[in-house]
Amino acid sequence: MGLILGEDYLRLIVPELPELLLKRYRLLRRIYYAAPAGRRSLAAYFKLGEKVLRRELDTLRDQGLIHVEQRGISLTPAGEALVLGITPYLKLLLGLDAMEKELLKLLKVKRVSVVPGDLEKDEMVLLEMGRAGAKILRECLKPEMVLAVSGGRSCAAVADMLSDLPAPPGITVVPARGGLGEEVDYQANNIAARVARKLKASYRLLHLPDSLSQEALEMLLQEEKIASILELINSASVLLHGIGTAVDMARRRGAGEEEIRMLEAKGAVGEVFGFFFNGRGEIVDYIPSLGLYLEDMNNRVDNVIVIAGGSAKAEAIIAVVGNHPRDHLVLDEGAARKIMALAGIDAQALSV
Amino acid sequence: MGLILGEDYLRLIVPELPELLLKRYRLLRRIYYAAPAGRRSLAAYFKLGEKVLRRELDTLRDQGLIHVEQRGISLTPAGEALVLGITPYLKLLLGLDAMEKELLKLLKVKRVSVVPGDLEKDEMVLLEMGRAGAKILRECLKPEMVLAVSGGRSCAAVADMLSDLPAPPGITVVPARGGLGEEVDYQANNIAARVARKLKASYRLLHLPDSLSQEALEMLLQEEKIASILELINSASVLLHGIGTAVDMARRRGAGEEEIRMLEAKGAVGEVFGFFFNGRGEIVDYIPSLGLYLEDMNNRVDNVIVIAGGSAKAEAIIAVVGNHPRDHLVLDEGAARKIMALAGIDAQALSV
DNA sequence: CCCTACTGGGACTTTTTTTGACCCATTAAA
DNA sequence: TTTAATGGGTCAAAAAAAGTCCCAGTAGGG
């Protein structure tokens, strides 16, 4: 309470503080993830003049936060501790804490974690989201459970940011759904394997060809191997998935303009591993495949960790995660602010 | 703990924050005490260019902290709340909190309160010290007690800053010592009366001519009235006094160069209502008068509130307040830093 | 009653700082 | 060995800040 009071005073009397703080924080964050980072590449990344950046680097160096060497810039232990530890404080200062509370009320989920920054402006935010998601994921893990993961960049970030401390024993990681052809790094199978490796858990994959007909899928269901994996998938008690915007996802699957117009007519805004949702959270279309039976998932999965960022995904997030008290939602500041705006809530704090 | 952590991070990543914060805070504080304050008079006070000040005022106005009108600048309710409420937070940010702890260990007193700012650079600090002293004073008051106060600017500030909420009943305010001719506003008698008025308490004064001989004082002791007041003074359980530097005080009492050389030879550095202390806290001289018997005061007075500011008084403060576990010490940042420096402790945080 | 000496706001010029664009020696990789 | 990075430094242009002055209005003193 005293802390929040202090923050409010601080923002009142030094209104340029969030800007200053974020500028440097983003710089440090970038260095953390891209070390050893060169001055020129940093300048290019932030679209800053070289001199401007240099001045920032000078102050950071004076503060003992970065190490400037010939081979590049890296964080000192102090800088690393800062990047890793300042997040909750930053959230407080930026009012993200209050925003999380608002979103919690609005979306009626179990937990909301808003990561500082805008994914569309700084891709490091994705890694931060991965870090936040990984933290929540670890908290949800219990021995002998099945964890289902979907594809996508966000889930890949979670996999990347998971520490490789071992998880509780007996965990099995499976893809939430098979064969939804994406770039290999972002495929559910691939991510499931990566997550399993980090957790030192076992995994089972579901390799299916893309774009199968309904009949072909039903035939595959007869296969012993596939049926057993499907059973495993549907016994998952934790699900980690990202969210796509409907049109974008359809297009990435190679849908024609006609199909997209159909989707739009149905009101599809969000997509989760092949299922398309309208604004009211109803499934209006899906890509034929095998995997989680989404319809009765509510009864079986204990924790769903949803991770999505970028203001473009605001509508999709609202559509997908509304009213699921088992959901943990990880998103970025950009998406969070957009959601607030869509809901007509004024988020006074400024976005930098 | 989390708060302090946050502060440390904040200072690391935005090292210019204390400067920014203090600049504005001092401005607000000045406006608070001098409202309605004019732009030009503010600029003159802070020795700032008019434009510089104007820009600060603009941002403060944008933040809704000040009210800029033709008759002058004043604080909005928000600004007032900030000036009154930000102090503990400011102390944390400036590291005054840590400094208080250090001084507590160093001086072995009951409590230390360091007021942000340097009295020698900004006289508003005196009023802040008064506010801090007044707060402590009120905490020490109990019904039917006698409160003794000394003279001096610092004690006058306490009197000024006392709210006029009534105090516990039956309190009597007396001067700690009679007739130590100063400017009337800073005389102990005067301050005792002002304090009493604020506390809605009764008071008894001890009017004595200046510079009486020892014999004359002994004669006065025979006087019923004077004797009764002396008894009252020596039954005081709370004592509020300031500290003077020895030489300065002697000079103000009109001492000749010869006398001052004598004082210096005796090692006198500090002065408290007519008693001169050397660096080891021993009384090495005094101005003849009547009042508190300082020698056995330790046994009778429960709480001594010592208030002094300005780096010039550092030595005097050390001399006077060392090793008195009943003492509450109120001082300014300037004096505090000087004391730390004298003690060889590095106060890393910067003074602005 | 007026007059004066303030006030805040605005405009203009000078000074300082900031910014962008180079160049250079060094170094790590190719 | 070559190449393409790096960090560090310099210098001129541009932008921002600061100092100065002036103006209209108002409050307080005479």
Side-chain angles (χ1 to χ4, degrees):
Chain A
M1 208 46 175
L3 180 54
I4 294 174
L5 205 68
E7 301 311 325
D8 281 355
Y9 283 149
L10 208 51
R11 272 226 303 260
L12 262 178
I13 201 169
V14 191
E16 60 269 50
L17 180 62
E19 189 188 344
L20 281 170
L21 182 55
L22 266 181
K23 185 175 60 181
R24 305 236 170 97
Y25 168 70
R26 288 168 65 191
L27 193 50
L28 287 174
R29 185 169 64 183
R30 172 69 191 181
I31 295 170
Y32 174 71
Y33 286 117
R39 213 174 24 153
R40 281 171 174 69
S41 69
L42 282 175
Y45 183 83
F46 287 108
K47 297 183 178 65
L48 282 177
E50 189 189 321
K51 203 77 181 201
V52 185
L53 183 112
R54 199 182 295 200
R55 201 160 41 84
E56 294 304 323
L57 290 179
D58 284 346
T59 69
L60 289 177
R61 179 166 33 112
D62 291 346
Q63 292 297 310
L65 294 173
I66 60 174
H67 224 144
V68 178
E69 297 170 318
Q70 276 122 339
R71 58 185 293 252
I73 300 162
S74 51
L75 295 187
T76 61
E80 201 162 313
L82 191 145
V83 167
L84 295 176
I86 205 176
T87 316
Y89 191 68
L90 207 59
K91 285 166 80 162
L92 213 56
L93 189 81
L94 298 175
L96 300 187
D97 232 60
M99 199 157 12
E100 286 179 358
K101 290 205 185 76
E102 281 297 325
L103 290 174
L104 217 54
K105 275 195 290 182
L106 196 67
L107 300 173
K108 301 199 177 59
V109 294
K110 189 188 277 185
R111 179 176 6 180
V112 174
S113 182
V114 177
V115 169
D118 189 335
L119 178 54
E120 290 165 16
K121 291 177 194 153
D122 181 356
E123 65 189 44
M124 294 300 113
V125 171
L126 186 64
L127 299 175
E128 284 292 312
M129 286 170 52
R131 200 146 64 91
K135 187 153 167 275
I136 293 174
L137 176 57
R138 281 211 111 94
E139 288 171 18
C140 293
L141 294 179
K142 291 193 183 64
E144 309 298 335
M145 68 166 32
V146 174
L147 162 64
V149 304
S150 84
R153 289 203 309 154
S154 301
C155 289
V158 174
D160 288 341
M161 299 311 295
L162 267 171
S163 57
D164 42 12
L165 301 169
I171 287 180
T172 306
V173 187
V174 295
R177 234 164 157 234
L180 298 167
E182 282 206 67
E183 204 177 316
V184 63
D185 281 344
Y186 302 142
Q187 276 174 13
N189 275 323
N190 186 302
I191 293 173
R194 280 151 70 190
V195 167
R197 197 181 316 140
K198 286 289 184 70
L199 296 177
K200 306 198 190 336
S202 61
Y203 61 92
R204 299 283 302 279
L205 303 185
L206 180 55
H207 290 290
L208 294 181
D210 292 343
S211 314
L212 287 177
S213 67
Q214 200 70 37
E215 299 83 49
L217 287 173
E218 272 162 30
M219 248 172 56
L220 283 174
L221 269 176
Q222 310 301 322
E223 294 285 326
E224 180 54 37
K225 265 194 156 174
I226 287 179
S228 78
I229 292 182
L230 267 180
E231 201 177 325
L232 198 61
I233 291 176
N234 278 287
S235 72
S237 49
V238 174
L239 166 62
L240 168 71
H241 72 81
I243 294 179
T245 57
V247 174
D248 185 53
M249 232 37 211
R251 202 162 267 143
R252 217 182 293 174
R253 296 268 157 73
E257 285 305 313
E258 184 62 29
E259 288 178 74
I260 288 173
R261 233 168 291 143
M262 286 265 294
L263 259 180
E264 279 177 336
K266 289 173 185 164
V269 290
E271 183 264 8
V272 173
F273 44 86
F275 295 90
F276 289 86
F277 291 76
N278 69 8
R280 285 185 302 282
E282 298 154 355
I283 297 173
V284 294
D285 202 350
Y286 64 94
I287 297 167
S289 185
L290 296 177
L292 261 178
Y293 304 137
L294 208 54
E295 304 78 29
D296 55 0
M297 185 186 83
N298 289 329
N299 309 323
R300 292 174 288 104
V301 179
D302 299 324
N303 291 290
V304 177
I305 301 166
V306 185
I307 179 162
S311 57
K313 292 205 178 160
E315 288 93 342
I317 292 171
I318 296 174
V320 172
V321 303
N323 270 314
H324 293 161
R326 66 177 193 292
D327 284 3
H328 305 251
L329 174 61
V330 176
L331 68 171
D332 73 334
E333 191 181 336
R337 287 191 192 278
K338 184 72 182 293
I339 290 173
M340 301 280 282
L342 288 173
I345 301 169
D346 174 43
Q348 68 277 34
L350 39 121
S351 149
V352 180
Chain B
M1 207 47 174
L3 180 54
I4 294 172
L5 205 69
E7 301 311 326
D8 280 356
Y9 283 150
L10 207 51
R11 271 225 304 258
L12 263 178
I13 200 169
V14 191
E16 60 269 50
L17 181 63
E19 188 188 345
L20 281 170
L21 183 55
L22 266 181
K23 186 174 60 180
R24 305 237 170 98
Y25 167 69
R26 289 169 64 191
L27 193 50
L28 286 174
R29 185 169 65 182
R30 172 70 190 179
I31 294 170
Y32 174 71
Y33 286 118
R39 215 174 17 148
R40 279 170 173 71
S41 69
L42 282 176
Y45 183 83
F46 287 108
K47 297 184 179 61
L48 282 177
E50 188 189 323
K51 202 76 181 202
V52 185
L53 184 112
R54 202 182 291 201
R55 202 162 40 85
E56 293 304 323
L57 290 178
D58 284 346
T59 70
L60 289 177
R61 182 170 31 126
D62 290 346
Q63 292 297 310
L65 293 174
I66 59 174
H67 223 147
V68 179
E69 298 169 319
Q70 274 123 340
R71 58 185 294 252
I73 300 163
S74 50
L75 295 186
T76 62
E80 201 162 312
L82 191 145
V83 166
L84 294 177
I86 205 176
T87 316
Y89 191 69
L90 206 59
K91 285 166 79 163
L92 213 55
L93 189 82
L94 298 175
L96 300 188
D97 233 60
M99 198 156 12
E100 286 180 358
K101 290 205 187 75
E102 280 300 324
L103 289 174
L104 217 54
K105 275 196 290 184
L106 196 68
L107 300 174
K108 301 199 178 61
V109 294
K110 190 188 279 185
R111 175 171 15 175
V112 174
S113 183
V114 178
V115 170
D118 188 334
L119 178 53
E120 289 166 15
K121 291 178 193 152
D122 182 356
E123 64 188 45
M124 294 300 112
V125 172
L126 186 64
L127 298 175
E128 285 292 313
M129 286 170 53
R131 199 146 66 90
K135 188 154 166 277
I136 293 175
L137 177 58
R138 283 211 108 95
E139 288 171 20
C140 292
L141 295 178
K142 291 193 182 64
E144 309 299 333
M145 69 165 31
V146 175
L147 163 65
V149 305
S150 84
R153 289 204 309 154
S154 301
C155 288
V158 174
D160 288 341
M161 298 311 295
L162 268 171
S163 58
D164 43 11
L165 302 168
I171 287 179
T172 306
V173 186
V174 295
R177 235 165 155 234
L180 298 169
E182 281 207 68
E183 204 176 316
V184 63
D185 282 343
Y186 302 141
Q187 275 173 12
N189 275 323
N190 186 305
I191 292 172
R194 278 150 72 189
V195 167
R197 198 182 315 141
K198 286 288 184 70
L199 296 177
K200 303 197 191 342
S202 59
Y203 61 93
R204 301 284 300 279
L205 303 185
L206 180 55
H207 290 291
L208 294 182
D210 293 342
S211 314
L212 285 178
S213 67
Q214 200 71 37
E215 300 82 48
L217 286 171
E218 270 162 33
M219 248 175 55
L220 282 173
L221 269 175
Q222 310 301 321
E223 293 283 326
E224 180 54 39
K225 267 192 154 176
I226 287 179
S228 78
I229 292 181
L230 268 180
E231 199 178 327
L232 197 61
I233 290 175
N234 279 287
S235 71
S237 50
V238 174
L239 166 63
L240 168 72
H241 71 80
I243 294 179
T245 58
V247 175
D248 186 53
M249 230 41 207
R251 203 162 266 142
R252 217 184 290 174
R253 296 268 158 73
E257 285 306 313
E258 184 61 30
E259 287 179 73
I260 288 174
R261 235 169 289 143
M262 286 265 295
L263 259 180
E264 280 177 337
K266 290 173 185 164
V269 290
E271 183 264 7
V272 174
F273 45 85
F275 295 91
F276 289 87
F277 291 77
N278 68 9
R280 286 186 300 283
E282 298 156 354
I283 297 173
V284 293
D285 202 352
Y286 65 95
I287 297 167
S289 185
L290 298 176
L292 261 178
Y293 305 137
L294 207 53
E295 303 80 29
D296 56 359
M297 186 186 85
N298 288 329
N299 309 323
R300 292 174 288 103
V301 179
D302 299 323
N303 290 291
V304 177
I305 302 165
V306 184
I307 179 163
S311 57
K313 293 207 177 160
E315 288 94 342
I317 293 171
I318 296 174
V320 171
V321 302
N323 271 311
H324 293 161
R326 66 178 195 289
D327 284 3
H328 305 252
L329 174 61
V330 176
L331 70 171
D332 73 336
E333 191 180 337
R337 287 192 191 280
K338 183 73 181 294
I339 289 173
M340 302 280 282
L342 287 174
I345 301 170
D346 174 42
Q348 69 277 39
L350 40 121
S351 147
V352 180

